[in-house]
Amino acid sequence: GAGVSQSPSNKVTEKGKDVELRCDPISGHTALYWYRQSLGQGLEFLIYFQGNSAPDKSGLPSDRFSAERTGGSVSTLTIQRTQQEDSAVYLCASSFRRLAGGQRDTQYFGPGTRLTVL
Amino acid sequence: DAKTTQPPSMDCAEGRAANLPCNHSTISGNEYVYWYRQIHSQGPQYIIHGLKNNETNEMASLIITEDRKSSTLILPHATLRDTAVYYCIVRVGSGDNQGGKLIFGQGTELSVKP
């Protein structure tokens, strides 16, 4: 079946511009995660959506970052007034997460969006 | 912070078994050990996970010590395509209040050589 898809695959923008990154999770997956990977750095968690619950935004680095998930499926990560330090690969993952327990919550990642802020 | 420590790099000859160690001495009773790998310019790929029993799937085997303070990922017959960064992650299973987010460390860069 189809995996997690992300678009665009590459995005080059100028400092100060806003950007939107899109994630299409695996069909039926209830949980969606955003991570980012800066050059030479590990992956860091940004935000997590689970069903209709309030998202866990604890990893967002500043208020310039926001994300939404419409209809429990597609998610958009928005970065306002981009800065050069925002340059990174932004990765989306989804899982079939059951809060009641069980192990069907392995996260599957998309290919990422490489963002370059000039 | 990541709760695991891994060697930064390892080499393995093609066709031989690759044994990647991971220390997680502060692991709690309800925390699982997950392994992911990331091939250059791709998103992380799930490999295997376990709680306390050894696990095997089509990709690899996971050996967890009896005290659960360390584990080893085994790729039985490494190929050049297995060259990647391998991440060992400790996380709480479903039903936790931490959202299931993955905390990645620096991982082990495995180079499989001909």
Side-chain angles (χ1 to χ4, degrees):
Chain A
V4 177
S5 61
Q6 294 185 244
S7 60
S9 56
N10 283 283
K11 175 72 176 178
V12 180
T13 190
E14 294 179 347
K15 177 182 173 182
K17 301 282 189 181
D18 298 351
V19 295
E20 286 189 352
L21 312 179
R22 177 186 169 106
C23 172
D24 284 85
I26 293 172
S27 178
H29 278 192
T30 57
L32 187 147
Y33 305 77
W34 283 97
Y35 297 82
R36 76 172 176 181
Q37 187 170 32
S38 304
L39 184 63
Q41 301 294 315
L43 290 96
E44 59 174 325
F45 165 78
L46 296 177
I47 188 169
Y48 155 65
F49 295 90
Q50 168 62 42
N52 296 320
S53 303
D56 175 358
K57 306 179 183 179
S58 61
L60 295 179
S62 77
D63 58 8
R64 295 186 295 104
F65 288 72
S66 63
E68 62 178 22
R69 188 179 184 194
T70 55
S73 180
V74 172
S75 177
T76 301
L77 177 69
T78 301
I79 309 174
Q80 296 178 310
R81 305 181 302 281
T82 52
Q83 303 295 312
Q84 289 182 330
E85 61 263 28
D86 299 334
S87 296
V89 176
Y90 289 81
L91 291 152
C92 175
S94 71
S95 72
F96 182 76
R97 182 170 175 79
R98 297 185 301 174
L99 296 178
Q103 279 304 294
R104 295 180 61 194
D105 62 350
T106 297
Q107 293 179 34
Y108 296 91
F109 284 79
T113 293
R114 181 175 297 278
L115 175 66
T116 303
V117 182
L118 302 177
Chain B
D1 290 341
K3 298 182 66 173
T4 62
T5 55
Q6 300 176 251
S9 63
M10 290 182 63
D11 289 342
C12 178
E14 188 179 18
R16 304 296 294 269
N19 297 282
L20 293 94
C22 179
N23 286 325
H24 32 80
S25 59
T26 61
I27 193 170
S28 300
N30 64 344
E31 290 181 320
Y32 289 74
V33 180
Y34 276 76
W35 283 83
Y36 281 77
R37 73 180 183 184
Q38 188 174 25
I39 296 170
H40 182 62
S41 297
Q42 297 183 21
Q45 176 189 23
Y46 166 78
I47 302 173
I48 198 168
H49 74 281
L51 181 62
K52 45 186 175 181
N53 296 325
N54 298 336
E55 302 288 343
T56 296
N57 64 20
E58 65 278 4
M59 289 184 67
S61 294
L62 174 60
I63 308 298
I64 303 174
T65 58
E66 190 169 346
D67 64 8
R68 304 211 319 123
K69 292 185 177 182
S70 66
S71 61
T72 301
L73 178 75
I74 301 172
L75 307 179
H77 305 287
T79 71
L80 299 179
R81 288 176 294 181
D82 291 323
T83 293
V85 178
Y86 286 76
Y87 296 98
C88 171
I89 300 163
V90 165
R91 56 161 290 196
V92 183
S94 299
D96 71 286
N97 60 0
Q98 297 179 30
K101 61 192 175 191
L102 299 173
I103 308 298
F104 288 83
Q106 296 303 308
T108 296
E109 186 166 4
L110 175 68
S111 297
V112 180
K113 300 182 183 298

